[in-house]
Amino acid sequence: MPLTAIPFINSLLAPFRKKRDAAIQFYSQILDNHFPWYKRLDAVAGQKFAARVYYFRKSKNFHFLEMESSEEVEVLVSAAAVQLTFGLPEYNYGFFEDIYIIKGAYTYGLSTTPWAGHVNRQGIYVAWDHVLKGYVSENDGYNVGLHEMAHAFEYELAYGHYAHDHMLKHNFGMVYGAMKQEVIEQPYHPAALYSPQGTTNIHECWAESVEFFFEKPSRLREFYPALFQAIAQLLNQDPVNWKQAQLAAEAVQ
């Protein structure tokens, strides 16, 4: 290709890049206002996070049930997926094309118990009011966005891009082993961190572990050390040291 063609191509792409950059900046404002975890990132990491949210959102079809469609809602639901995978190179959850956002808790199948979310081959489903509740507090261990994205992560390992990442699957196997040893086989653990479902169902145990990993990391590391370390290695994140470093930096300011 002649070198003279490169400036011409760049000029053609310039409007698209400008539109993308404006969208990422807009997403940064939404995240800064409504996504507490994002506020602790430095400028470089924050820009990377917002860009990932932009590309994740573009890769999905969002469906709103019993509520009006909202770009802000799409951004915040996308951010839950990006938070979980922020330490990994692949973050788009390519197995899934559709995300369904329901106004409130709903019933599913034959169950009469209200659900806050679920995941199946057809898509990722979340109750928006429960997603919002999950981000009111960063320390209560309840986060439906992270919980359902953790379930979606398992589908990615089985059928998506992660299925071809042997190291990632090996690391997830280490997480499974730690969950069985420290949680499933110890239902009366003195920490009592997990729900009854979390102590009997390995998939629920994984989703709850992700919630605790980000929202109660010090407690998870203290009482379930092998599990904490296995998740940290799997996700390439360490929220205990990260939070300590952030708090120290804030104290200096």
Side-chain angles (χ1 to χ4, degrees), residues 179 194 204-213 220 227 231:
M179 287 192 296
Y194 289 81
E204 285 304 309
C205 184
W206 157 244
E208 290 184 17
S209 295
V210 167
E211 293 178 272
F212 302 143
F213 181 76
L220 186 68
L227 177 55
I231 297 175

Side-chain angles (χ1 to χ4, degrees), residues 76-208:
L76 295 174
V77 171
S78 299
V82 173
Q83 179 180 352
L84 176 61
T85 59
F86 196 49
L88 304 176
E90 172 57 45
Y91 60 91
N92 267 338
Y93 284 49
F95 178 75
F96 295 98
E97 296 182 357
D98 298 288
I99 296 179
Y100 297 85
I101 302 173
I102 304 95
K103 183 177 181 180
Y106 56 93
T107 56
Y108 176 70
L110 299 177
S111 174
T112 58
T113 303
W115 289 39
H118 74 282
V119 178
N120 58 30
R121 287 174 176 268
Q122 283 68 52
I124 301 168
Y125 299 74
V126 294
W128 174 238
D129 60 348
H130 282 264
V131 174
L132 278 179
K133 180 182 177 182
Y135 284 107
V136 168
S137 170
E138 289 185 273
N139 305 304
D140 60 1
Y142 181 81
N143 191 304
V144 168
L146 287 173
H147 187 103
E148 299 308 328
M149 292 304 171
H151 284 313
F153 188 93
E154 290 187 276
Y155 276 84
E156 285 297 311
L157 280 168
Y159 310 111
H161 289 124
Y162 294 157
H164 307 291
D165 190 326
H166 300 296
M167 181 57 69
L168 198 67
K169 297 187 79 170
H170 168 77
N171 289 342
F172 194 69
M174 299 298 289
V175 172
Y176 254 55
M179 287 192 296
K180 289 180 179 179
Q181 181 179 8
E182 293 189 332
V183 183
I184 302 297
E185 295 175 0
Q186 298 190 51
Y188 303 109
H189 193 289
L193 196 59
Y194 289 81
S195 72
Q197 292 79 15
T199 59
T200 56
N201 183 306
I202 196 72
H203 305 291
E204 285 304 309
C205 184
W206 157 244
E208 290 184 17

